[in-house]
């Protein structure tokens, strides 16, 4: 978790609120994350995960950073790309 926080901070995320994670168990990840978020509907969130195969029906993909364990998991480039995508989406929604 410490490494994740450092990458986010280095990518310009000056975040002063809680950052949390789910436990890894035998449940499908998408369902597990949806269950975790169900009482946090008014929260702004980002899901950072390397498994997306069951997310389609459970998680808003615009809120996901897909990591790659084979390439060192979360990278600053992934975070930058996420923020760029969010910025472009925000610009489109303002028009």
């Amino acid at each position: 978790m410490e490494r994740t926080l450092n990458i986010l901070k280095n990518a310009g995320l000056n975040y002063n609120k809680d950052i949390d994670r789910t436990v890894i168990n035998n449940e499908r990840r998408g369902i597990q994350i949806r269950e975790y978020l169900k009482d946090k509907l008014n929260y702004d969130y980002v899901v950072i995960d390397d498994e997306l195969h069951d997310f389609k029906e459970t998680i808003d993909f615009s809120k996901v950073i897909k990591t790659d364990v084979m390439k060192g998991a979360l990278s600053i480039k992934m975070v930058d790309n996420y923020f760029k995508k969010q910025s472009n989406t925000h610009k489109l929604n303002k028009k």
Side-chain angles (χ1 to χ4, degrees), residues 21-36:
R21 65 179 179 173
T22 62
V23 296
I24 304 293
N25 60 25
N26 292 331
E27 267 187 79
R28 291 175 43 206
R29 292 294 292 149
I31 293 170
Q32 183 182 19
I33 293 168
R34 182 187 65 207
E35 286 298 309
Y36 176 83

Side-chain angles (χ1 to χ4, degrees), residues 27-74:
E27 267 187 79
R28 291 175 43 206
R29 292 294 292 149
I31 293 170
Q32 183 182 19
I33 293 168
R34 182 187 65 207
E35 286 298 309
Y36 176 83
L37 291 171
K38 75 180 177 185
D39 63 338
K40 299 167 179 62
L41 293 176
N42 294 325
Y43 286 31
D44 194 12
Y45 67 90
V46 176
V47 174
I48 302 170
D49 207 303
D50 65 337
E51 296 182 27
L52 302 182
H53 57 272
D54 70 332
F55 280 32
K56 193 175 219 173
E57 61 273 352
T58 57
I59 304 294
D60 177 359
F61 267 75
S62 71
K63 299 280 197 172
V64 174
I65 297 176
K66 165 85 168 77
T67 61
D68 186 341
V69 176
M70 301 305 288
K71 295 182 180 177
L74 183 65

